[in-house]
Amino acid sequence: TVGTLKLTGALPIRLWKDGATSSCDTLQLTDVINDADGMIVPRPMNGYRPKAGDVFTIGSIAEGATLPAVAKNWKISAGTAENGICPLLLERTPPGLMLFVR
């Protein structure tokens, strides 16, 4: 649990997933200050290979707070607030293009 986190470098967050079961490191934050080189860097563990759309709740953040920066191919968002606190959601968003031809 941290008040305001100042991201000045890489902050690894470990992720585990085996089928429907997942787990991860978690952070409870009040706010974030993003430095130029600071970001959350997801670290898959135990052979887990991230897939597009995989989502982890990596903690919580105060409603309206600045969201932490995150490594390329990942996205961070705040879920629906409850009592002024939002879940902090980490989602795998690899680059790519889907083209459907009929």
Side-chain angles (χ1 to χ4, degrees):
T1 300
V2 179
T4 299
L5 176 67
K6 182 173 183 181
L7 285 172
T8 59
L11 176 63
I13 298 290
R14 298 173 298 169
L15 309 172
W16 293 269
K17 187 165 184 176
D18 185 9
T21 304
S22 63
S23 183
C24 60
D25 292 331
T26 60
L27 299 166
Q28 278 65 50
L29 305 170
T30 302
D31 204 356
V32 173
I33 300 170
N34 291 308
D35 193 43
D37 296 323
M39 71 179 74
I40 292 197
V41 180
R43 297 278 187 235
M45 306 298 290
N46 295 348
Y48 162 58
R49 297 180 146 257
K51 295 181 181 153
D54 283 353
V55 178
F56 293 84
T57 301
I58 63 167
S60 63
I61 194 162
E63 185 176 16
T66 302
L67 295 174
V70 68
K72 185 178 175 182
N73 300 328
W74 292 87
K75 177 178 94 172
I76 288 212
S77 60
T80 304
E82 188 172 312
N83 297 323
I85 303 295
C86 301
L88 193 56
L89 306 173
L90 175 70
E91 180 179 0
R92 174 72 170 159
T93 56
L97 172 69
M98 286 186 134
L99 179 63
F100 294 96
V101 179
R102 293 178 100 187

